[in-house]
Structure formats: structure tokens, C-alpha cells
Amino acid sequence: MEGVKNYLSDMDGVLVRGSTIVPGAAEFVKRLRDQEIPFLILTNNSQYTPRDLQVRLAYIGLDVPKESIFTSALATAQFLHSQRPSGRAYVIGESGLTTALHDIDYIITDQDPEYVVLGETTTYSFQRITQAIRFIMKGARFIATNPDPMGPGEGGTVPATGAVAALISAATGIKPYYIGKPNPLMMRTALRKLNAHSEETVMIGDRMDTDMISGIESGLRTILVLTGVTSREQVERFPYRPTWIRDSVADIEI
């Protein structure tokens, strides 16, 4: 790992699996903190604020500062602020997304919004989806926090942002601009937050089609861990490869 000074890491499948900590993850994060190595934990899930996630992680034994958690909601807010400061948005999502937008002085409204912003929620409303469709057909720009079609939920998988975005796209003929992984925009935004250079940063993830490709396209070295959805055999099916493969974060040398 010569030359690696900063770490970006996916959360689910790397540090946690659902509501269970991955063995060795707490020790890995502690090593980063003890050595004062800059790091960010990235998640495509826009439901929760960093403070919410900090508490949820602490409950299962993972001690992470909220400043070291970076969500697709935060990346979405920063993108909108750079494009159209103090704009107006119709939002489908939870507090993680609405708080991020409020923090950049966005107005959340159902009166002539400039953007429709779609994120994760456990209470998708047909009425609100219909309203979003109408706003987009009237010219509102369509933004989605991430393209993930499914995610973990109580009792099994649940439809996520990408699935609902597909429904809206089918009705409007308009595809959203996705902010989260694998869009390199999220990685670039995270690097700026760390004040880090891509050549000195590594991306840790468990998915070839999001974590690894977003790292590669952002000029980062990559580490695939085998504690999530990708097996060692599946790596060979892809036209790109991670820089390193490790069984888990416990095996990453710092």
C-alpha cells in the first residue's frame, strides 16, 4: 500500500452487514484514527444524516466521528449548491436528504420547483410520486441520490431509489442524473472534503459495479473485500480489476 495516505470506504458489506459489524472493522477504523490517517465512510443511502449513522454504528460497536461519514445526500446537496445556489426543490426522501438541502439554503417546496430530488424513503407515496412526475413533465430537472434498485430492509430486500426513479422515468421519458456511486462525482466530492489527491487515496468496497468502477474512474487505487456481494471468482467476469483483493478490512495493511 505504498503511497496511500487517505482512505475512502464503502459501509455496507465492508464495515457492516445489515445491523452486524464485520469482524475486524472496528479495529481497522481504530488504526486509522490512532494514526490520524484521513478517511471517509461513503454510503449511497440518503435516508440518514451523518449524526444518525454515527449513533447507529456506535450501537453495534463501530466508533466513527460524524465528520467521517459522507452520504449521497450530502453529495447531492453539494452538487445542487454548485449548480444553482439557493434553489427550490420538490423532495421525496427522509431527513438525511432534507437536512442536507436545508443546510445549503435550499427551499423544499411543492410550488414551482426547479428540481425534483429523489432519495431513499421507507414511505414512498403514490401521490408524491405522481406530483414528481407532473413537475418533471412541466420542466423540473430530475435528480436522484443514487441508482441502487434494491437495498436491505427489515425482513429482506426493499425497493430503493433506482427502482422508483425507473418508475418516474417510464412515466416521463426523462432519466435522472444520479449523484451517488458509481458516478465519479461522489468520489471527487469526497476527495475535496478530505483535501486529498486521487493518486494518494484508495477506495475500499465490496461491489465491482459501484465501488470499484467509481474508484477506478476517479483515478484511485482500489481494494475489493470479500465480505459483501462479490466473490473472488466473480471478479474475473468484469473487464476491469481492483488493485488489491483482501478477504476483509481486517487484512488491509496500513
Side-chain angles (χ1 to χ4, degrees):
M1 306 286 173
E2 184 178 352
V4 174
K5 298 180 180 178
N6 316 282
Y7 287 79
L8 302 179
S9 176
D10 184 37
M11 187 168 69
D12 198 51
V14 177
L15 302 174
V16 299
R17 283 191 292 252
S19 58
T20 305
I21 191 169
V22 169
E27 294 77 9
F28 173 72
V29 171
K30 186 176 187 301
R31 293 203 305 274
L32 292 174
R33 298 187 67 184
D34 287 348
Q35 297 180 44
E36 298 183 350
I37 296 172
F39 74 97
L40 280 179
I41 295 172
L42 310 183
T43 175
N44 262 0
N45 193 313
S46 63
Q47 271 186 265
Y48 305 107
T49 67
R51 174 63 177 152
D52 294 334
L53 287 171
Q54 178 191 29
V55 172
R56 292 168 71 92
L57 292 174
Y59 184 76
I60 62 172
L62 195 60
D63 185 16
V64 180
K66 64 180 175 61
E67 294 80 14
S68 296
I69 299 172
F70 191 67
T71 70
S72 63
L74 295 176
T76 298
Q78 291 186 29
F79 171 76
L80 290 174
H81 180 66
S82 71
Q83 293 286 304
R84 191 175 293 263
S86 303
R88 303 183 310 277
Y90 182 76
V91 179
I92 298 176
E94 300 287 344
S95 61
L97 182 55
T98 56
T99 299
L101 293 175
H102 279 143
D103 286 347
I104 58 159
D105 294 325
Y106 249 62
I107 297 169
I108 296 176
T109 181
D110 58 3
Q111 301 295 319
D112 192 28
E114 296 161 303
Y115 292 94
V116 167
V117 183
L118 175 67
E120 236 80 52
T121 176
T122 56
T123 56
Y124 286 113
S125 156
F126 186 77
Q127 181 180 359
R128 290 184 61 78
I129 290 171
T130 300
Q131 187 64 75
I133 288 168
R134 290 172 179 171
F135 283 138
I136 291 168
M137 294 182 73
K138 287 180 180 178
R141 302 153 187 87
F142 187 15
I143 302 289
T145 58
N146 69 83
D148 301 348
M150 301 294 286
E154 293 299 326
T157 56
V158 295
T161 301
V164 181
L167 184 159
I168 295 173
S169 293
T172 61
I174 304 294
K175 293 184 178 180
Y177 181 59
Y178 290 110
I179 302 295
K181 298 175 294 179
N183 189 343
L185 176 68
M186 185 164 174
M187 314 300 287
R188 300 287 186 186
T189 309
L191 287 171
R192 285 197 298 272
K193 182 176 172 65
L194 282 181
N195 194 26
H197 195 282
S198 58
E199 292 181 356
E200 299 175 336
T201 306
V202 69
M203 173 64 192
I204 308 167
D206 70 308
R207 295 186 66 105
M208 290 291 289
D209 57 349
T210 54
D211 305 319
M212 296 301 101
I213 195 169
S214 60
I216 290 167
E217 291 183 352
S218 302
L220 281 64
R221 283 174 281 181
T222 55
I223 302 173
L224 177 75
V225 294
L226 304 177
T227 48
V229 301
T230 306
S231 68
R232 192 179 293 271
E233 293 72 27
Q234 288 172 320
V235 174
E236 298 302 326
R237 302 177 188 174
F238 291 85
Y240 49 87
R241 290 184 58 83
T243 313
W244 297 286
I245 301 176
R246 297 290 183 268
D247 288 333
S248 78
V249 289
D251 300 308
I252 295 174
E253 312 88 2
I254 294 177

